[in-house]
Amino acid sequence: MEAATFTSTTASSSTTSFSSFSSASQSLRFLRYKPNAKPLNYKSSRTFSVRASADDSVVTLLDYGAGNVRSLRNAIKYLGFDIIDVQTPEDILKAKQLIFPGVGAFAPAMDVLNNKGMAEALCTYIEQDRPFLGICLGLQLLFESSEENGPVKGLGLIPGVVGRFDSSKGIRVPHIGWNALEIAKDIQILDDIGKSHVYFVHSYRAMPSDQNREWISSTCNYGDNFIASIQRGNVHAVQFHPEKSGDVGLSVLRRFLNPKSGKTQKLVQGNASKLAKRVIACLDVRTNDKGDLVVTKGDQYDVREHTKENEVRNLGKPVDLAGQYYKDGADEVSFLNITAFRDFPLGDLPMLQVLRYASENVFVPLTVGGGIRDFKDGNGRYYSSLEVASEYFRSGADKISIGSDAVYAAEEYLKSGVKTGKSSLEQISRVYGNQAVVVSIDPRRVYVKDPKAVEFKTVKVRNPGPNGEEYAWYQCTVSGGREGRPIGAYELAKAVEELGAGEILLNCIDCDGQGKGFDIDLIKLISDAVSIPVIASSGAGAVEHFTEVFRETNASAALAAGIFHRKEVPIQAVKEHLSKEGIEVRM
Ligand code: 1PR
């Protein structure tokens, strides 16, 4: 194939020859893989016009509007690059370097690409071996097809079918968290990864095969070995999220955007690892009596100082603390807007502002919770929970967390046995995927002498109750622990998993702020009952408590607040202790 020549059409730009792509594009001729296909007869040697910028610091982003790509935009800007958004297929063909962060589900993404004529443009762009980076679904769409609500046809550039992780193999699906990679090819964009972990969040994956072997640049082990990244010529794609993988992820983006950035000292080749246990810093946020948004922290959910003034405990500024915890090595940061159950969160603009600012400098996942429900404002304007969640996502959240509204939805579902599809949980997970929806449970321990005396699942507790009771059930609450509901944490967890939750944040009001350790009985009960990841929360007071919860339960992550805010235990100390005790963590 001849080199394509791209001619600028804008007044400010110059004619640019992309002849450097020509040799590698020879090797991409066979693309749009069809089994037993004849040699491909694709359009070539066309002259494209390009809005060539003299400025190399511009990247074209294919955001088809299906979800939150704010994190990626922030990461690109943080690295000093400007973004041009694709509006038409021609914009793809004009791009100098193209990033495609696939968001949402496979079928709707292919529909958008086909309907807007972008599928053809993307294939052409890639076949010409021009600089391309697909992320997450942006990798999967390059394959022949996916089983996600399918089979659904993909772009067909790489042989293989994208399938769902098999939870019958004892793994939790979605695959959420940090894994190290098995590097298969010496490629520059992975140069700084070595043994570091990168962040994944997905339920579907492409598998290695003889037909796609030459594409694979790294694999990852989760149940099976799946494809973590591909590379051929200038075409790259990664299943993980570089924009959420801390410094090492930023280096992947930097090396793609600026291939001339040079070789660093090459790290040892990575080895696939187990999924690392996550350490999460949580910021309970609310407005204090002066009207400032502050990070607070309760004792068993009571966040007021026990002084004459009775003021809200103030432990710092949300954006500053989030940035600090990112630097300290937190694997995720969660914001819980703890009074949003009574104040409408979209009226709470400072909270959205907090998210916007925090996401500019925090390159690990951000979760936000509080007040996600349908709402009618003072003027009678109705807001759906989906609108509330969308605003959170647009402002920089990667996941949203639902508390009270998930309790009502689960009660309803258990009563009727019918999934209406109308609850906030169902709607948000349908649109954004279940990996984006966390359910936060706020249970309180209720001791009983006889487990048969209650209709809820009980556990035999390690420490008997005040009257020697050997059993307890965990009563769910709403409105920040203010109201107990007729449903247990076990029943709730199983119901919300069926309704589409991707993860459970498991608090315990009895242990909150006590520093005496997590409620192992509760966390074991729930993490054994569901096959989605469970985040253990409430009660951490020392590094040993983290080791205990990971040794004795199937929790995927452990979250703490007070010990980090009061600077009693640094996040790094927690990780070093876990690592010394043989528990895999991201360092
Ligand atoms: O019901 O959807 O509006 O969501 C409200 C959210 O706010 C829920 O996730 C609920 O857990 C949270 N919330 C409401 N009130 C409080 C409160 O403290 N008064 N915070 C509250 C819950 C619990 C943890 C805490 C851990 C770790 N905070 O997230 O950070 O217990 O603390 P520790 O390490 O200091 O023990 P909706």
Side-chain angles (χ1 to χ4, degrees):
M1 181 186 146
E2 285 169 35
T5 303
F6 301 78
T7 313
S8 160
T9 51
T10 56
S12 62
S13 53
S14 58
T15 302
T16 310
S17 167
F18 285 72
S19 55
S20 57
F21 301 135
S22 64
S23 60
S25 54
Q26 292 280 2
S27 66
L28 298 184
R29 267 186 183 218
F30 55 87
L31 288 177
R32 288 195 226 194
Y33 170 84
K34 293 186 195 76
N36 312 319
K38 294 193 197 103
L40 221 112
N41 179 20
Y42 70 88
K43 306 168 206 91
S44 66
S45 304
R46 287 201 303 227
T47 299
F48 290 100
S49 58
V50 67
R51 194 172 26 193
S53 165
D55 186 359
D56 271 349
S57 64
V58 175
V59 58
T60 302
L61 192 68
L62 175 46
D63 170 9
Y64 50 84
N68 170 36
V69 296
R70 189 182 182 96
S71 316
L72 180 63
R73 289 177 186 277
N74 283 337
I76 293 170
K77 286 188 190 148
Y78 181 86
L79 293 171
F81 288 78
D82 291 326
I83 296 168
I84 296 177
D85 278 294
V86 169
Q87 311 285 349
T88 64
E90 288 67 42
D91 292 333
I92 293 176
L93 299 172
K94 288 172 190 169
K96 285 183 74 182
Q97 38 191 2
L98 180 68
I99 298 189
F100 179 33
V103 182
F106 197 99
M110 274 313 295
D111 282 349
V112 175
L113 293 179
N114 283 325
N115 296 342
K116 293 191 172 175
M118 288 181 183
E120 180 64 26
L122 254 181
C123 288
T124 303
Y125 181 91
I126 291 172
E127 282 166 350
Q128 290 173 341
D129 188 30
R130 292 163 60 188
F132 174 86
L133 177 65
I135 296 175
C136 195
L137 187 63
L139 173 141
Q140 297 178 8
L141 291 165
L142 304 180
F143 284 79
E144 289 170 89
S145 66
S146 170
E147 290 167 1
E148 187 174 4
N149 302 324
V152 180
K153 249 178 112 189
L155 294 170
L157 297 169
I158 305 179
V161 176
V162 176
R164 192 176 157 84
F165 281 111
D166 184 358
S167 58
S168 69
K169 293 190 172 166
I171 54 167
R172 283 167 200 269
V173 182
H175 173 220
I176 299 182
W178 300 79
N179 265 94
L181 307 178
E182 182 85 41
I183 308 281
K185 253 190 208 177
D186 180 7
I187 60 163
Q188 213 196 345
I189 71 162
L190 301 182
D191 261 4
D192 299 323
I193 288 199
K195 289 183 171 166
S196 302
H197 295 78
V198 288
Y199 185 76
F200 290 89
V201 47
H202 57 134
S203 298
Y204 291 80
R205 82 287 187 241
M207 301 293 284
S209 68
D210 284 344
Q211 287 73 39
N212 61 33
R213 196 161 305 281
E214 50 195 327
W215 280 93
I216 300 170
S217 55
S218 70
T219 56
C220 177
N221 189 273
Y222 190 63
D224 297 304
N225 265 348
F226 68 88
I227 297 176
S229 64
I230 60 103
Q231 176 272 339
R232 204 115 190 232
N234 293 303
V235 176
H236 300 267
V238 292
Q239 179 61 63
F240 55 89
H241 286 265
E243 76 283 13
K244 287 285 138 194
S245 297
D247 285 348
V248 93
L250 290 176
S251 91
V252 171
L253 285 174
R254 187 184 295 114
R255 287 181 172 282
F256 169 73
L257 293 169
N258 184 8
K260 295 183 209 98
S261 61
K263 285 228 166 229
T264 49
Q265 197 185 357
K266 186 98 191 213
L267 294 168
V268 203
Q269 291 250 313
N271 294 110
S273 62
K274 288 195 292 224
L275 184 66
K277 298 289 185 182
R278 285 171 281 155
V279 177
I280 302 177
C282 182
L283 309 176
D284 289 355
V285 177
R286 64 161 288 169
T287 312
N288 67 10
D289 301 325
K290 289 189 209 119
D292 302 325
L293 203 64
V294 297
V295 174
T296 189
K297 182 68 214 70
D299 275 332
Q300 298 183 329
Y301 285 31
D302 176 5
V303 298
R304 295 211 171 248
E305 301 278 17
H306 290 225
T307 57
K308 196 154 60 64
E309 290 75 25
N310 197 224
E311 68 269 36
V312 171
R313 199 167 291 133
N314 179 350
L315 293 170
K317 294 187 178 158
V319 177
D320 295 352
L321 276 181
Q324 188 57 50
Y325 294 144
Y326 168 62
K327 287 194 198 122
D328 293 348
D331 296 317
E332 272 177 54
V333 176
S334 296
F335 292 103
L336 297 177
N337 194 350
I338 67 170
T339 48
F341 66 89
R342 55 173 181 241
D343 311 319
F344 179 46
L346 295 192
D348 197 355
L349 293 175
M351 187 64 203
L352 299 177
Q353 206 59 13
V354 161
L355 264 180
R356 287 186 197 117
Y357 287 136
S359 62
E360 281 173 15
N361 293 299
V362 174
F363 299 107
V364 292
L366 285 176
T367 302
V368 65
I372 295 175
R373 65 187 195 285
D374 297 342
F375 188 86
K376 210 182 255 175
D377 71 12
N379 303 320
R381 155 92 155 89
Y382 170 81
Y383 296 85
S384 72
S385 54
L386 194 56
E387 282 177 83
V388 180
S390 301
E391 199 50 47
Y392 275 148
F393 286 125
R394 267 196 294 276
S395 301
D398 299 289
K399 302 187 247 184
I400 54 91
S401 161
I402 309 175
S404 309
D405 211 49
V407 178
Y408 301 128
E411 285 179 18
E412 202 50 50
Y413 172 53
L414 290 178
K415 210 181 323 153
S416 67
V418 178
K419 292 186 200 169
T420 62
K422 291 188 179 142
S423 65
S424 53
L425 169 53
E426 291 163 283
Q427 289 190 50
I428 301 165
S429 74
R430 193 168 52 242
V431 174
Y432 289 96
N434 62 351
Q435 76 289 339
V437 183
V438 182
V439 166
S440 166
I441 313 184
D442 299 304
R444 193 175 266 127
R445 209 180 296 137
V446 183
Y447 290 105
V448 286
K449 283 218 158 82
D450 177 7
K452 294 195 205 80
V454 284
E455 57 182 301
F456 309 106
K457 179 88 173 174
T458 55
V459 281
K460 195 160 194 300
V461 286
R462 295 162 177 230
N463 302 311
N467 302 309
E469 299 94 335
E470 290 187 353
Y471 296 89
W473 69 283
Y474 288 87
Q475 182 182 22
C476 292
T477 65
V478 293
S479 307
R482 286 165 181 81
E483 186 195 338
R485 298 293 305 177
I487 182 169
Y490 175 88
E491 290 76 19
L492 181 90
K494 290 187 81 72
V496 296
E497 178 176 24
E498 285 180 37
L499 291 173
E503 208 172 13
I504 285 173
L505 163 55
L506 186 57
N507 303 296
C508 175
I509 297 182
D510 309 80
C511 297
D512 175 60
Q514 304 306 294
K516 294 184 186 147
F518 297 95
D519 189 322
I520 301 296
D521 296 326
L522 169 66
I523 295 160
K524 188 162 167 24
L525 173 73
I526 304 301
S527 62
D528 287 346
V530 293
S531 64
I532 52 179
V534 172
I535 303 167
S537 165
S538 304
V543 290
E544 291 78 11
H545 294 149
F546 291 84
T547 312
E548 182 188 31
V549 78
F550 289 134
R551 283 248 168 85
E552 300 199 21
T553 77
N554 280 314
S556 301
L559 170 151
I563 52 167
F564 297 149
H565 303 337
R566 293 187 300 269
K567 303 194 178 6
E568 289 164 6
V569 179
I571 294 172
Q572 213 48 34
V574 172
K575 293 199 162 178
E576 277 162 19
H577 187 266
L578 288 169
S579 173
K580 205 172 84 218
E581 294 293 317
I583 295 169
E584 184 162 337
V585 285
R586 172 184 81 110
M587 292 305 282

